[in-house]
């Protein structure tokens, strides 16, 4: 996650594109940074507020992260397993063979066609200030086209370009001072999707790749809402649970990891608040 943040901060165009695609996340992150910076200036720089107030600021950051992890855990736990041909509105979990939606085409990587892929390259760079070296993200690219999931009972459209990918790496390779990671879904691969089923007309607009844009335009021209099974619904990010996950991993592995991370982050936030209250009341560790 830290490497991803560094990559975005060092690539203004990618950061702007991410902000357009995820405005709520960016605004929340900016608010967190502002609170922490203002708190640090007021407490350590100007001595206008006690230093223990920073504990509450950090607790707020932990609380924000816990909330995000809670949404994902809620999605994994509450999404009901549904046949792709019998889907209804609400949180759903569908699994089956991934196929390109009619007219959506595909994205290519090194001459191979994919429905979605994630390509990341890290480079080892020397750190003159601290000594030693660090691996930093040099390239982090995700491409996707609208796809359908078919379990044999019918197919349902997935707004895959707005999804969080949880795919096992197909390739891990080191080449000198670079490390290459790649994960992708080809037509016919088995996939599991967690998200919110809504009418296609209610789908949230998102930034997409050129291939995905052309695919969605073709889908609208062909009136995909009437052509797909699942009563014209699309699985996408919801309002109550703003998460959409496309994965090839096991269900219970995802559930266990997300619940543990959510509880651990929440425990850190509660602990920091308790420690802040302790210092505020005059407590000391000495």
């Amino acid at each position: 996650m830290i490497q991803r943040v560094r990559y975005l901060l060092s690539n203004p165009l990618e950061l702007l594109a991410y902000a357009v695609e995820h405005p709520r996340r960016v605004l929340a992150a900016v608010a967190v940074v502002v609170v922490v910076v203002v708190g640090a200036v007021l407490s350590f720089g100007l001595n206008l507020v006690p230093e223990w107030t920073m504990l509450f600021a950090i607790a707020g950051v932990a609380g924000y992260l816990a909330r995000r992890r809670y949404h994902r855990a809620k999605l994994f736990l509450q999404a009901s397993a549904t046949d792709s041909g019998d889907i209804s509105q609400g949180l759903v979990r569908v699994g089956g063979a991934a196929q390109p939606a009619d007219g959506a085409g595909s994205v290519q990587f090194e001459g191979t066609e994919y429905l979605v892929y994630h390509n990341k390259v890290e480079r080892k760079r020397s750190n003159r200030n601290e000594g030693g070296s660090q691996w930093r993200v040099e390239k982090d690219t995700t491409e996707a086209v609208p796809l359908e999931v078919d379990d044999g009972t019918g197919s349902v459209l997935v707004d895959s370009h707005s999804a969080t990918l949880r795919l096992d790496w197909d390739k891990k390779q080191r080449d000198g001072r670079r490390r290459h990671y790649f994960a992708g879904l080809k037509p016919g691969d088995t996939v599991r999707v967690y998200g919110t089923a809504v009418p296609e007309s209610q789908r949230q607009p998102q930034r997409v790749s050129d291939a995905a844009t052309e695919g969605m335009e073709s889908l609208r021209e062909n009136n995909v809402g009437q052509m797909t099974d699942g009563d014209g619904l699309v699985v996408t990010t919801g309002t109550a649970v703003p998460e959409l996950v496309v994965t090839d991993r096991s269900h219970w592995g995802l559930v266990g990891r997300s619940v543990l991370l959510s509880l651990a982050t929440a425990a850190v936030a509660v602990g920091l608040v308790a420690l802040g209250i302790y210092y505020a009341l005059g407590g000391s560790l000495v």
Side-chain angles (χ1 to χ4, degrees):
M1 180 178 178
I2 294 177
Q3 289 183 334
R4 174 65 171 168
V5 171
R6 284 178 176 174
Y7 173 75
L8 290 174
L9 292 177
S10 62
N11 293 270
L13 292 179
E14 284 294 324
L15 178 60
L16 178 60
Y18 185 86
V20 172
E21 184 175 346
H22 304 287
R24 292 183 180 179
R25 293 182 184 180
V26 173
L27 288 174
V30 170
V32 167
V33 172
V34 169
V35 169
V36 172
V37 171
V38 170
V41 171
L42 292 178
S43 59
F44 296 107
L46 302 178
N47 293 321
L48 296 178
V49 295
E51 294 180 357
W52 50 259
T53 56
M54 281 301 300
L55 290 172
F56 292 107
I58 299 174
V61 175
Y64 164 70
L65 294 176
R67 182 175 180 273
R68 284 195 58 189
R69 300 190 195 285
Y70 163 76
H71 279 308
R72 188 158 296 170
K74 182 179 179 181
L75 174 63
F76 292 147
L77 287 170
Q78 295 187 1
S80 57
T82 309
D83 291 337
S84 58
D86 189 31
I87 196 172
S88 57
Q89 293 190 48
L91 292 177
V92 296
R93 166 165 52 103
V94 294
Q99 300 292 346
D102 292 339
S106 62
V107 289
Q108 290 198 354
F109 183 81
E110 295 183 347
T112 302
E113 292 187 349
Y114 291 91
L115 302 175
V116 296
Y117 75 77
H118 180 199
N119 179 49
K120 183 170 72 171
V121 178
E122 297 177 346
R123 183 176 181 181
K124 193 173 186 179
R125 296 184 179 180
S126 301
N127 191 327
R128 296 180 180 179
N129 295 328
E130 300 179 4
S133 58
Q134 291 181 326
W135 288 98
R136 296 197 175 184
V137 176
E138 185 177 69
K139 184 177 183 180
D140 195 341
T141 305
T142 299
E143 294 284 346
V145 295
L147 61 86
E148 293 180 351
V149 175
D150 190 338
D151 62 2
T153 65
S155 60
V156 62
L157 181 66
V158 178
D159 199 11
S160 53
H161 61 264
S162 63
T164 297
L165 300 182
R166 287 291 179 267
L167 304 176
D168 289 328
W169 295 113
D170 298 322
K171 180 178 76 173
K172 292 182 179 180
Q173 178 182 341
R174 182 167 178 175
D175 180 15
R177 299 180 66 85
R178 285 184 172 85
R179 294 190 300 200
H180 301 264
Y181 299 88
F182 180 84
L185 284 176
K186 300 177 182 177
D189 284 352
T190 300
V191 68
R192 187 178 291 107
V193 177
Y194 300 80
T196 304
V198 300
E200 201 276 337
S201 59
Q202 296 181 15
R203 179 174 49 86
Q204 296 291 330
Q206 301 284 343
R207 179 186 72 90
V208 298
S209 64
D210 293 339
T213 301
E214 294 173 1
M216 291 310 296
E217 289 175 352
S218 176
L219 292 175
R220 292 193 185 95
E221 291 173 0
N222 291 320
N223 196 13
V224 70
Q226 298 298 323
M227 293 180 63
T228 56
D229 300 317
D231 300 326
L233 299 179
V234 57
V235 182
T236 184
T237 55
T239 302
V241 182
E243 291 283 352
L244 171 64
V245 177
V246 173
T247 182
D248 57 3
R249 300 175 183 174
S250 69
H251 170 68
W252 290 112
L254 291 170
V255 170
R257 185 175 185 275
S258 62
V259 170
L260 287 175
L261 286 175
S262 177
L263 292 176
T265 312
V268 170
V270 172
L272 288 170
V273 169
L275 191 60
I277 294 175
Y278 174 75
Y279 278 120
L281 297 177
S284 174
L285 295 179
V286 181

